[in-house]
Amino acid sequence: MQALSNDQLHRIAPSIFAREAATCLSEKYRFVPTIEVVEALREEGFFPVSVAASRSKTEDRRDYVKHTLRLRREADLGVELKRGGAVNTCVPELALTNSHNGTSGFIL
């Protein structure tokens, strides 16, 4: 499994790169820019290996939808897990979920 670049992340989940919250949210909402968290985790040796995003019914809301990333340590990037593989084979991952439209809180 290889680390994903920012271009790859943006193609699948542009909401990762949002610079503000959706305008429909109240002032109580605390905006956490996902890409800044991803960059901080990269500096600590964790790299995104998979990404998914919710679909938006309208184009103007796609930049705020819920998105999930899985990150691995650099040493574990080349490890491929297969169904039915060795029993003791495991690779720790971080899972990061966020949205900028109020559908999900920041979860790491």
Side-chain angles (χ1 to χ4, degrees), residues 21-67:
T23 56
C24 62
L25 297 175
S26 76
E27 293 177 11
K28 292 180 182 180
Y29 176 81
R30 171 114 159 75
F31 177 71
V32 178
T34 306
I35 191 58
E36 290 182 15
V37 176
V38 170
E39 293 298 344
L41 289 169
R42 279 179 174 146
E43 289 177 16
E44 297 300 321
F46 290 88
F47 297 89
V49 293
S50 71
V51 61
S54 297
R55 293 180 189 233
S56 174
K57 293 181 181 178
T58 60
E59 188 69 22
D60 61 327
R61 294 186 181 187
R62 75 181 184 107
D63 292 338
Y64 306 105
V65 298
K66 181 178 176 180
H67 44 275

Side-chain angles (χ1 to χ4, degrees), residues 7-104:
D7 287 339
Q8 291 168 310
L9 295 176
H10 193 273
R11 266 181 271 160
I12 297 167
S15 55
I16 292 171
F17 298 87
R19 289 291 166 198
E20 61 187 8
T23 56
C24 62
L25 297 175
S26 76
E27 293 177 11
K28 292 180 182 180
Y29 176 81
R30 171 114 159 75
F31 177 71
V32 178
T34 306
I35 191 58
E36 290 182 15
V37 176
V38 170
E39 293 298 344
L41 289 169
R42 279 179 174 146
E43 289 177 16
E44 297 300 321
F46 290 88
F47 297 89
V49 293
S50 71
V51 61
S54 297
R55 293 180 189 233
S56 174
K57 293 181 181 178
T58 60
E59 188 69 22
D60 61 327
R61 294 186 181 187
R62 75 181 184 107
D63 292 338
Y64 306 105
V65 298
K66 181 178 176 180
H67 44 275
T68 301
L69 296 103
R70 300 189 74 74
L71 301 99
R72 287 186 181 182
R73 294 179 303 185
E74 187 171 20
D76 295 325
L77 288 177
V79 178
E80 293 292 332
L81 299 178
K82 298 178 183 164
R83 291 182 189 251
V87 175
N88 293 326
T89 302
C90 67
V91 176
E93 293 183 337
L94 295 177
L96 186 160
T97 301
N98 198 11
S99 78
H100 305 301
N101 61 5
T103 59
S104 173

